[in-house]
Short mmCIF file of all heavy atoms in Angstrom, two decimals:
data_model
loop_
_atom_site.label_atom_id
_atom_site.label_comp_id
_atom_site.label_asym_id
_atom_site.label_seq_id
_atom_site.Cartn_x
_atom_site.Cartn_y
_atom_site.Cartn_z
N GLY A 1 -1.25 -2.66 19.30
CA GLY A 1 -2.47 -2.89 20.00
C GLY A 1 -3.42 -1.77 20.09
O GLY A 1 -4.45 -1.83 20.88
N TYR A 2 -3.16 -0.70 19.44
CA TYR A 2 -4.11 0.38 19.41
C TYR A 2 -5.28 0.03 18.55
O TYR A 2 -5.17 -0.52 17.46
CB TYR A 2 -3.47 1.69 18.88
CG TYR A 2 -2.38 2.25 19.78
CD1 TYR A 2 -1.13 1.60 19.95
CD2 TYR A 2 -2.61 3.47 20.47
CE1 TYR A 2 -0.25 2.21 20.81
CE2 TYR A 2 -1.62 4.04 21.35
CZ TYR A 2 -0.47 3.29 21.48
OH TYR A 2 0.56 3.84 22.14
N PRO A 3 -6.52 0.36 18.85
CA PRO A 3 -7.62 0.19 18.16
C PRO A 3 -7.54 0.85 16.82
O PRO A 3 -7.17 2.07 16.72
CB PRO A 3 -8.91 0.70 18.90
CG PRO A 3 -8.45 0.66 20.32
CD PRO A 3 -7.02 0.91 20.20
N ASP A 4 -7.83 0.27 15.72
CA ASP A 4 -7.69 0.97 14.26
C ASP A 4 -8.36 2.16 14.18
O ASP A 4 -7.92 3.12 13.69
CB ASP A 4 -8.11 -0.11 13.26
CG ASP A 4 -7.71 0.31 11.84
OD1 ASP A 4 -6.50 0.78 11.68
OD2 ASP A 4 -8.66 0.13 10.97
N GLY A 5 -9.58 2.16 14.83
CA GLY A 5 -10.48 3.43 14.65
C GLY A 5 -9.93 4.58 15.48
O GLY A 5 -10.44 5.67 15.31
N HIS A 6 -8.95 4.35 16.38
CA HIS A 6 -8.42 5.44 17.14
C HIS A 6 -7.21 5.92 16.63
O HIS A 6 -6.51 6.76 17.30
CB HIS A 6 -8.15 4.86 18.65
CG HIS A 6 -9.40 4.60 19.40
ND1 HIS A 6 -9.47 4.27 20.70
CD2 HIS A 6 -10.82 4.76 19.04
CE1 HIS A 6 -10.71 4.09 21.13
NE2 HIS A 6 -11.54 4.37 20.16
N VAL A 7 -6.77 5.55 15.44
CA VAL A 7 -5.60 5.98 14.81
C VAL A 7 -5.94 6.73 13.57
O VAL A 7 -6.37 6.13 12.63
CB VAL A 7 -4.63 4.82 14.53
CG1 VAL A 7 -3.35 5.38 13.93
CG2 VAL A 7 -4.28 4.06 15.72
N ALA A 8 -5.70 8.09 13.47
CA ALA A 8 -5.87 8.98 12.33
C ALA A 8 -4.60 9.03 11.56
O ALA A 8 -3.70 9.66 12.02
CB ALA A 8 -6.37 10.32 12.78
N GLU A 9 -4.63 8.36 10.50
CA GLU A 9 -3.47 8.33 9.57
C GLU A 9 -3.63 9.36 8.40
O GLU A 9 -4.18 9.14 7.35
CB GLU A 9 -3.37 6.97 9.05
CG GLU A 9 -3.06 5.97 10.07
CD GLU A 9 -3.27 4.45 9.60
OE1 GLU A 9 -4.37 4.20 9.19
OE2 GLU A 9 -2.41 3.59 9.79
N VAL A 10 -2.98 10.51 8.64
CA VAL A 10 -3.32 11.73 7.78
C VAL A 10 -2.84 11.48 6.38
O VAL A 10 -3.27 12.10 5.40
CB VAL A 10 -2.77 13.00 8.38
CG1 VAL A 10 -1.31 12.96 8.42
CG2 VAL A 10 -3.22 14.17 7.70
N HIS A 11 -1.79 10.60 6.20
CA HIS A 11 -1.21 10.26 4.86
C HIS A 11 -1.64 8.96 4.36
O HIS A 11 -1.10 8.48 3.36
CB HIS A 11 0.30 10.39 4.85
CG HIS A 11 0.76 11.77 5.03
ND1 HIS A 11 2.03 12.11 5.38
CD2 HIS A 11 0.17 13.01 4.97
CE1 HIS A 11 2.18 13.48 5.46
NE2 HIS A 11 1.03 13.99 5.21
N GLY A 12 -2.62 8.30 5.12
CA GLY A 12 -2.97 6.94 4.56
C GLY A 12 -2.17 5.80 5.24
O GLY A 12 -1.51 6.02 6.12
N SER A 13 -2.34 4.58 4.61
CA SER A 13 -1.70 3.43 5.14
C SER A 13 -1.18 2.52 3.97
O SER A 13 -1.90 2.40 2.87
CB SER A 13 -2.71 2.63 5.91
OG SER A 13 -2.17 1.38 6.26
N ILE A 14 -0.05 2.06 4.05
CA ILE A 14 0.62 1.11 3.10
C ILE A 14 -0.19 -0.24 3.16
O ILE A 14 0.07 -1.02 2.33
CB ILE A 14 2.09 0.95 3.31
CG1 ILE A 14 2.73 0.28 2.08
CG2 ILE A 14 2.42 -0.03 4.59
CD1 ILE A 14 4.29 0.44 2.09
N HIS A 15 -0.90 -0.48 4.24
CA HIS A 15 -1.60 -1.82 4.34
C HIS A 15 -3.00 -1.77 3.74
O HIS A 15 -3.84 -2.75 3.93
CB HIS A 15 -1.77 -2.12 5.84
CG HIS A 15 -0.41 -2.12 6.58
ND1 HIS A 15 0.50 -3.20 6.44
CD2 HIS A 15 0.28 -1.32 7.39
CE1 HIS A 15 1.56 -3.08 7.09
NE2 HIS A 15 1.39 -1.84 7.76
N HIS A 16 -3.24 -0.75 2.92
CA HIS A 16 -4.45 -0.69 2.11
C HIS A 16 -4.16 -0.17 0.75
O HIS A 16 -3.13 0.50 0.52
CB HIS A 16 -5.52 0.29 2.79
CG HIS A 16 -6.10 -0.17 4.07
ND1 HIS A 16 -5.30 -0.12 5.24
CD2 HIS A 16 -7.18 -0.83 4.38
CE1 HIS A 16 -5.97 -0.76 6.18
NE2 HIS A 16 -7.21 -1.12 5.74
N LEU A 17 -4.95 -0.55 -0.26
CA LEU A 17 -4.75 -0.33 -1.57
C LEU A 17 -5.87 0.45 -2.16
O LEU A 17 -6.95 0.50 -1.59
CB LEU A 17 -4.62 -1.62 -2.47
CG LEU A 17 -3.45 -2.47 -2.02
CD1 LEU A 17 -3.34 -3.74 -2.90
CD2 LEU A 17 -2.05 -1.86 -2.05
N GLN A 18 -5.67 1.08 -3.33
CA GLN A 18 -6.79 1.80 -4.19
C GLN A 18 -6.45 1.72 -5.61
O GLN A 18 -5.17 1.23 -5.95
CB GLN A 18 -6.77 3.27 -3.74
CG GLN A 18 -5.56 4.02 -4.11
CD GLN A 18 -5.76 5.57 -4.11
OE1 GLN A 18 -5.67 6.13 -2.99
NE2 GLN A 18 -5.99 6.19 -5.20
N CYS A 19 -7.29 2.04 -6.45
CA CYS A 19 -7.06 1.96 -7.89
C CYS A 19 -6.19 3.16 -8.20
O CYS A 19 -6.32 4.32 -7.71
CB CYS A 19 -8.39 2.11 -8.56
SG CYS A 19 -8.30 2.20 -10.43
N THR A 20 -5.25 3.10 -9.28
CA THR A 20 -4.43 4.21 -9.66
C THR A 20 -5.24 5.16 -10.49
O THR A 20 -4.81 6.32 -10.49
CB THR A 20 -3.23 3.75 -10.51
OG1 THR A 20 -3.70 2.84 -11.54
CG2 THR A 20 -2.26 2.96 -9.64
N VAL A 21 -6.33 4.89 -11.09
CA VAL A 21 -7.02 5.78 -11.94
C VAL A 21 -7.51 7.01 -11.22
O VAL A 21 -7.23 8.17 -11.64
CB VAL A 21 -8.12 5.03 -12.75
CG1 VAL A 21 -9.00 6.03 -13.59
CG2 VAL A 21 -7.50 3.88 -13.66
N PRO A 22 -8.33 6.90 -10.10
CA PRO A 22 -8.97 5.81 -9.56
C PRO A 22 -10.35 5.67 -10.15
O PRO A 22 -11.06 6.69 -10.52
CB PRO A 22 -9.13 6.11 -8.14
CG PRO A 22 -9.22 7.71 -7.94
CD PRO A 22 -8.37 8.13 -9.20
N CYS A 23 -10.84 4.51 -10.34
CA CYS A 23 -12.17 4.21 -11.06
C CYS A 23 -13.31 4.55 -10.03
O CYS A 23 -14.42 4.56 -10.44
CB CYS A 23 -12.21 2.77 -11.61
SG CYS A 23 -12.16 1.56 -10.36
N GLY A 24 -12.97 4.55 -8.71
CA GLY A 24 -14.03 4.70 -7.72
C GLY A 24 -13.30 5.07 -6.39
O GLY A 24 -12.09 5.18 -6.36
N ASP A 25 -14.09 4.89 -5.36
CA ASP A 25 -13.39 5.25 -3.96
C ASP A 25 -13.10 4.04 -3.11
O ASP A 25 -13.00 4.10 -1.96
CB ASP A 25 -14.29 6.28 -3.28
CG ASP A 25 -15.62 5.72 -2.86
OD1 ASP A 25 -15.98 4.48 -3.24
OD2 ASP A 25 -16.40 6.48 -2.16
N ARG A 26 -13.23 2.86 -3.83
CA ARG A 26 -12.85 1.66 -3.09
C ARG A 26 -11.54 1.59 -2.46
O ARG A 26 -10.54 1.94 -3.23
CB ARG A 26 -13.03 0.29 -3.87
CG ARG A 26 -12.82 -0.97 -3.21
CD ARG A 26 -12.66 -2.14 -4.14
NE ARG A 26 -13.91 -2.66 -4.52
CZ ARG A 26 -14.21 -3.87 -4.62
NH1 ARG A 26 -13.42 -4.84 -4.12
NH2 ARG A 26 -15.41 -4.38 -5.04
N ILE A 27 -11.38 1.17 -1.17
CA ILE A 27 -10.11 0.95 -0.52
C ILE A 27 -10.15 -0.47 0.07
O ILE A 27 -11.13 -0.85 0.64
CB ILE A 27 -9.90 2.06 0.49
CG1 ILE A 27 -9.88 3.37 -0.06
CG2 ILE A 27 -8.61 1.64 1.34
CD1 ILE A 27 -9.81 4.49 1.04
N TRP A 28 -9.10 -1.27 -0.23
CA TRP A 28 -9.21 -2.63 0.29
C TRP A 28 -7.84 -3.00 1.00
O TRP A 28 -6.86 -2.40 0.61
CB TRP A 28 -9.56 -3.61 -0.97
CG TRP A 28 -8.53 -3.69 -2.00
CD1 TRP A 28 -7.53 -4.65 -2.07
CD2 TRP A 28 -8.31 -2.89 -3.04
NE1 TRP A 28 -6.81 -4.42 -3.24
CE2 TRP A 28 -7.35 -3.44 -3.92
CE3 TRP A 28 -9.15 -1.70 -3.62
CZ2 TRP A 28 -6.95 -2.72 -5.15
CZ3 TRP A 28 -8.71 -1.06 -4.76
CH2 TRP A 28 -7.68 -1.62 -5.59
N PRO A 29 -7.94 -4.01 1.86
CA PRO A 29 -6.58 -4.35 2.60
C PRO A 29 -5.74 -5.19 1.75
O PRO A 29 -6.15 -5.82 0.85
CB PRO A 29 -7.14 -5.15 3.84
CG PRO A 29 -8.48 -5.65 3.30
CD PRO A 29 -9.10 -4.55 2.38
N VAL A 30 -4.42 -5.00 2.00
CA VAL A 30 -3.44 -5.79 1.14
C VAL A 30 -3.46 -7.26 1.54
O VAL A 30 -3.13 -8.11 0.73
CB VAL A 30 -2.04 -5.25 1.46
CG1 VAL A 30 -1.79 -3.87 0.97
CG2 VAL A 30 -1.66 -5.40 2.93
N ASP A 31 -4.01 -7.58 2.74
CA ASP A 31 -4.22 -9.00 3.17
C ASP A 31 -2.77 -9.72 2.94
O ASP A 31 -1.80 -9.23 3.55
CB ASP A 31 -5.18 -9.78 2.50
CG ASP A 31 -6.71 -9.18 2.72
OD1 ASP A 31 -6.87 -8.72 3.94
OD2 ASP A 31 -7.62 -9.21 1.89
N ASP A 32 -2.74 -10.73 2.25
CA ASP A 32 -1.46 -11.56 2.09
C ASP A 32 -0.71 -11.16 0.82
O ASP A 32 0.09 -12.07 0.28
CB ASP A 32 -1.74 -13.03 2.15
CG ASP A 32 -2.86 -13.53 1.13
OD1 ASP A 32 -3.33 -12.61 0.29
OD2 ASP A 32 -2.99 -14.71 0.94
N LEU A 33 -0.91 -10.08 0.26
CA LEU A 33 -0.23 -9.62 -0.94
C LEU A 33 1.29 -9.68 -0.78
O LEU A 33 1.87 -9.19 0.20
CB LEU A 33 -0.59 -8.25 -1.26
CG LEU A 33 0.23 -7.61 -2.43
CD1 LEU A 33 -0.04 -8.24 -3.64
CD2 LEU A 33 -0.05 -6.09 -2.50
N ARG A 34 1.98 -10.39 -1.71
CA ARG A 34 3.40 -10.29 -1.74
C ARG A 34 3.86 -9.77 -3.16
O ARG A 34 3.40 -10.28 -4.09
CB ARG A 34 3.99 -11.72 -1.55
CG ARG A 34 3.56 -12.38 -0.17
CD ARG A 34 4.45 -11.66 0.98
NE ARG A 34 3.97 -12.18 2.29
CZ ARG A 34 4.45 -11.52 3.47
NH1 ARG A 34 5.20 -10.54 3.42
NH2 ARG A 34 3.87 -12.13 4.62
N VAL A 35 4.72 -8.87 -3.07
CA VAL A 35 5.38 -8.34 -4.24
C VAL A 35 6.75 -8.83 -4.52
O VAL A 35 7.63 -8.56 -3.58
CB VAL A 35 5.30 -6.68 -4.22
CG1 VAL A 35 5.94 -6.18 -5.49
CG2 VAL A 35 3.99 -6.30 -3.94
N LEU A 36 6.99 -9.51 -5.47
CA LEU A 36 8.32 -10.13 -5.74
C LEU A 36 9.29 -9.04 -6.30
O LEU A 36 8.79 -8.15 -7.11
CB LEU A 36 8.17 -11.34 -6.84
CG LEU A 36 7.30 -12.45 -6.37
CD1 LEU A 36 7.34 -13.40 -7.46
CD2 LEU A 36 7.93 -13.09 -5.11
N LEU A 37 10.44 -9.04 -5.85
CA LEU A 37 11.36 -8.05 -6.11
C LEU A 37 12.68 -8.41 -6.65
O LEU A 37 13.35 -9.49 -6.13
CB LEU A 37 11.60 -7.17 -4.80
CG LEU A 37 12.23 -5.78 -4.82
CD1 LEU A 37 11.27 -4.85 -5.42
CD2 LEU A 37 12.64 -5.41 -3.39
N ASP A 38 13.20 -7.62 -7.58
CA ASP A 38 14.65 -7.86 -8.05
C ASP A 38 15.45 -6.91 -7.13
O ASP A 38 15.43 -5.77 -7.32
CB ASP A 38 14.73 -7.45 -9.61
CG ASP A 38 16.22 -7.56 -10.02
OD1 ASP A 38 17.15 -7.58 -9.17
OD2 ASP A 38 16.30 -7.64 -11.30
N GLU A 39 16.19 -7.57 -6.30
CA GLU A 39 16.92 -6.75 -5.24
C GLU A 39 18.00 -5.90 -5.80
O GLU A 39 18.28 -4.83 -5.25
CB GLU A 39 17.58 -7.73 -4.26
CG GLU A 39 16.59 -8.50 -3.34
CD GLU A 39 15.89 -7.84 -2.38
OE1 GLU A 39 16.35 -6.62 -2.10
OE2 GLU A 39 14.89 -8.19 -1.72
N GLU A 40 18.61 -6.23 -7.03
CA GLU A 40 19.62 -5.53 -7.59
C GLU A 40 19.12 -4.21 -8.13
O GLU A 40 19.62 -3.03 -7.96
CB GLU A 40 20.28 -6.29 -8.71
CG GLU A 40 21.37 -5.52 -9.39
CD GLU A 40 22.54 -5.21 -8.47
OE1 GLU A 40 22.75 -5.87 -7.42
OE2 GLU A 40 23.32 -4.30 -8.86
N SER A 41 17.97 -4.24 -8.83
CA SER A 41 17.33 -3.00 -9.49
C SER A 41 16.26 -2.41 -8.70
O SER A 41 15.77 -1.25 -8.95
CB SER A 41 16.75 -3.42 -10.87
OG SER A 41 15.66 -4.23 -10.73
N MET A 42 15.80 -3.10 -7.63
CA MET A 42 14.63 -2.64 -6.76
C MET A 42 13.38 -2.49 -7.55
O MET A 42 12.67 -1.60 -7.18
CB MET A 42 15.06 -1.42 -6.03
CG MET A 42 16.17 -1.53 -4.91
SD MET A 42 15.56 -2.68 -3.62
CE MET A 42 14.35 -1.66 -2.82
N ARG A 43 13.24 -3.25 -8.60
CA ARG A 43 12.03 -3.25 -9.39
C ARG A 43 11.20 -4.48 -9.07
O ARG A 43 11.71 -5.55 -8.87
CB ARG A 43 12.41 -3.15 -10.83
CG ARG A 43 13.03 -1.91 -11.32
CD ARG A 43 13.29 -1.87 -12.78
NE ARG A 43 14.03 -0.57 -13.07
CZ ARG A 43 13.39 0.47 -13.44
NH1 ARG A 43 12.07 0.53 -13.53
NH2 ARG A 43 13.93 1.64 -13.78
N ALA A 44 9.89 -4.35 -9.01
CA ALA A 44 8.94 -5.32 -8.78
C ALA A 44 8.84 -6.24 -10.03
O ALA A 44 8.84 -5.79 -11.16
CB ALA A 44 7.60 -4.76 -8.34
#
């Protein structure tokens, strides 16, 4: 329940994504992203 703007996350957030290159400075929310996982190997 803390306002998002009142939380300074010095290492960023797993709930936002960026380009690996990166091609620019765009950051976008993960929204409903689901990553399917092989539980045995822990690979996506």
